[in-house]
Amino acid sequence: MKDILYKKILATGIMMLMVLGAIAQNPLIRNMYSADPSARVFGDSVYVYPSHDILATPGHGRVGWFCMEDYHVYASKDLADWKDHGVIVTQTSVPWAKPDGYSMWAPDCIYRNGKYYFYFPATPDSIYGRGFAIGVAVADKPGGPFMPQPTPIKKVHGIDPNVFIDKDGQAYLYWSQGNIYGAKLQDNMLELASDPVIFQDLPNKGLKEGPYVFERNGLYYLTFPHVENKTERLEYAIGNSPLGPFKMTGVIMDESASGCWTNHHSVIQLKNQWYLFYHHNDYSPRFDKARSIMADSLVFNADGTIKKVTPTLRGIGITSAASDIQVDRYTAISDRGASIAFLDTADRFKGWKADFTEAGAWVQYNSVDFGKKSFRSVRVKVMGEGANTLELHSGSITGPLIARVNTIKSGEWNMIKAPVSTSPSGVQNIFVVFRGDTPLSVDWIKFE
Ligand code: FUB
């Protein structure tokens, strides 16, 4: 009986995890905080191994500081549906870590010879020294279960492990502790095969951490967060080999507008597109140790340099026209008369709404998939102080009219249905244009 109950609870849990999918916008994780995303392409899926920020309470971590006790892993085949595969490592399951360290900072994971190696920092038991040590947990599948090794990696003290395997099969471990370090890994992936080197020629002033190395067209990119001014921005250096020397080349992402002190990232290529995964504190604007992971496209110039990435709430997934299209997570917005605000400041995980105040204001939302079928109507979730009109266009503000929606005066959210005049096909950028004169809030739109 107990068994049946347990199975039912497990099945419900799994169902709930599946329901968390269908996101397709930033932040990628919407029911908890997440940071330091290490994204990897394993088979036909992208797996993301982030840190898991929680809020410290007296006796559980240091109040007002980073607080992390476990790791989850998320996976997606289409960059739109992200599924939580659950907890893979906890501070109490690591033999060498302090069980109440709450310091499971930025991790990484890599595949080699049929096994998945998950690298993570934590506060070790005092016999392994002070500060941070880095350990490994090993699994047969990218979603775990991961088995932590009994001891941390020898000669490695610091945070933010990153692993890179070169074309010749040699694996390298990178980490940070003020400076950025690198060393060869043995074939077993559990021990160093060379003495650590400190990368020179990187900025001397301002904290550097979170190294992430990748190779493209024979160039080796050492990318890392660095405090050039007040908070971290993502920078990169290029070299001809995995251990450098690396020459400072540029900035991948500027400091966050919200003032989040940290950023931490990873870079992947999926099919022909490159992506940058990073974090900001969108769900927690007043406390930057409660962060959320994001992803945006990354583009290279012909000479191999990287174009600066602008963070967006739109993110990277294609959104089905038949799902809730959260237009507040826009691609672009008019200079005046349109803005976004939290739906509920007491529960920011509920997300945002788009507020329109001036006729002609608009938001652009890219990559909506209308497929091949013809949509007949659109539903819009709105609330407004008067009757207004919204126009939905495809391609541009003056592009083909998809629908005209007449809203009603109401202090509560209403679902307004309107006929579709021209149903677009394929993947389209849509524009929501406000044609009213009293404030109107829009939560989402959905085609039927
Ligand atoms: O998440 C804790 C620490 O903040 C990471 O290890 C750093 O890279 C920074 O993101």
Side-chain angles (χ1 to χ4, degrees), residues 36 51 66 68 105-106 159-160 209-210 262-264 279 291:
D36 308 324
S51 310
F66 299 108
M68 295 99 124
W105 288 16
I159 57 170
D160 299 350
E209 54 180 359
T262 62
N263 197 349
H264 186 114
H279 74 226
R291 301 156 295 178

Side-chain angles (χ1 to χ4, degrees), residues 89-139:
V89 175
T90 69
Q91 59 182 3
T92 50
S93 67
V94 178
W96 55 266
K98 277 180 86 174
D100 56 355
Y102 293 95
S103 53
M104 311 209 76
W105 288 16
D108 194 9
C109 188
I110 203 135
Y111 170 81
R112 176 160 206 156
N113 294 338
K115 300 267 183 220
Y116 295 83
Y117 295 87
F118 179 71
Y119 296 78
F120 59 95
T123 312
D125 277 342
S126 52
I127 53 163
Y128 297 108
R130 294 161 65 104
F132 278 87
I134 291 175
V136 193
V138 186

